[in-house]
Amino acid sequence: MRVDLVTLFPEMFAGFLAASFVGRAIAGGQMSVRARSPREYGLGKHRSVDDTPYGGGSGMVMRVDVMVATMESLDGDAPDGVRARRVLLTPQGRVLDQARVLELAGRDAIMLVCGRYEGFDERIRSYVDEEVSLGDFVMTGGEVAAMAIVDACSRLLPGVLGNEASTIDESHSPDTGGLLEYPHYTRPAEFRGARVPEVLSGGNHAEIARWRREQAIARTKARRPDLWERFQEREASEAKGTGDP
């Protein structure tokens, strides 16, 4: 999988790309990452990448000509010749979820376009394939969102985690219907009066599986009623044999 980054701050990614499972994915060849700054295509002596908004208003706006030139340059010299799926990182985009991560991780190449300042010239949206947001809040730029996507995708690539089953029972996994994950425990068996549930040390795997399922359901109901409602709708739809609504 190839990830191209359009960012004014490529240096922000250096430590992130060298560490943990992302670093393992890159070292193992499952993922490659290129970063390119719009400054390379900026205008004038100061390599300007933004300008004041038409109609007035606060802040500066990222220029469409500079941003498009950067995106096209990355596609133009792609080592494998594959045009990346362009993802604009913006609080106005679709909120990222595990289903979207799975789809992105299955692509040969994606391009993550990070903004700064007040925002993008609206015409930039005509040159991307989709818009993604981490949630209903605003950050100073798209770099942290890009890191989140790279991290989430890297762990889904074959051979990166080492144990492919690790992604099956976790929160939001399609294999569990999108439920939150059940509680985990390890040693010590007792800590300040709080003990590990007896069922987990009893050796009855059927009972353990049942307990974990019950805990996942209870946790989802209590913490994420929206996910629980979605799970129930999916279960009802599948019971009728009509598939997802």
Side-chain angles (χ1 to χ4, degrees):
M1 177 186 190
R2 189 184 84 241
V3 179
D4 291 336
L5 302 170
V6 176
T7 170
L8 288 170
F9 300 98
E11 64 274 14
M12 288 181 63
F13 292 86
F16 166 73
L17 294 174
S20 191
F21 288 105
V22 174
R24 178 184 295 183
I26 293 173
Q30 293 99 326
M31 175 181 280
S32 65
V33 180
R34 302 186 299 163
R36 189 159 298 170
S37 172
R39 292 279 180 207
E40 296 183 30
Y41 304 90
L43 306 178
K45 178 181 178 181
H46 299 291
R47 297 285 185 178
S48 177
V49 299
D50 60 345
D51 212 327
T52 55
Y54 279 113
S58 61
M60 302 289 281
V61 177
M62 300 288 290
R63 295 178 59 110
V64 61
D65 48 359
V66 172
M67 296 299 289
V68 171
T70 310
M71 290 188 281
E72 291 180 344
S73 72
L74 281 164
D75 280 335
D77 61 13
D80 50 13
V82 175
R83 181 195 181 280
R85 182 169 181 81
R86 297 174 180 176
V87 181
L88 190 68
L89 302 172
T90 164
Q92 298 184 25
R94 169 184 168 184
V95 176
L96 187 69
D97 58 19
Q98 190 65 13
R100 194 79 207 96
V101 171
L102 284 164
E103 199 282 330
L104 291 173
R107 291 189 170 272
D108 293 328
I110 61 174
M111 183 184 298
L112 305 177
V113 184
C114 307
R116 281 274 159 172
Y117 312 122
E118 182 64 22
F120 298 99
D121 184 302
E122 184 67 18
R123 292 167 290 184
I124 291 174
R125 290 185 157 88
S126 300
Y127 294 89
V128 300
D129 300 301
E130 63 178 292
E131 301 178 35
V132 167
S133 169
L134 286 192
D136 297 332
F137 57 93
V138 180
M139 297 183 291
T140 57
E143 284 76 16
V144 172
M147 292 180 190
I149 293 175
V150 170
D151 183 275
C153 287
S154 69
R155 62 191 302 278
L156 297 176
L157 301 178
V160 173
L161 287 185
N163 181 3
E164 305 302 323
S166 298
T167 62
I168 294 177
D169 289 329
E170 64 187 4
S171 296
H172 311 295
S173 169
D175 297 279
T176 64
L179 295 173
L180 298 182
E181 191 172 6
Y182 52 78
H184 291 276
Y185 296 88
T186 188
R187 294 179 179 84
E190 186 273 335
F191 181 72
R192 295 182 180 178
R195 297 193 59 82
V196 175
E198 290 186 11
V199 65
L200 298 179
S201 56
N204 188 322
H205 296 292
E207 286 294 326
I208 291 173
R210 187 179 303 111
W211 180 87
R212 285 175 170 171
R213 180 70 172 179
E214 291 170 352
Q215 291 295 312
I217 289 173
R219 178 163 287 191
T220 305
K221 283 182 179 180
R223 300 185 180 187
R224 292 291 303 274
D226 57 322
L227 293 181
W228 174 243
E229 182 178 354
R230 196 180 310 164
F231 173 80
Q232 288 181 301
E233 291 173 353
R234 188 183 299 112
E235 290 283 292
S237 178
E238 291 178 354
K240 293 178 181 178
T242 59
D244 286 343

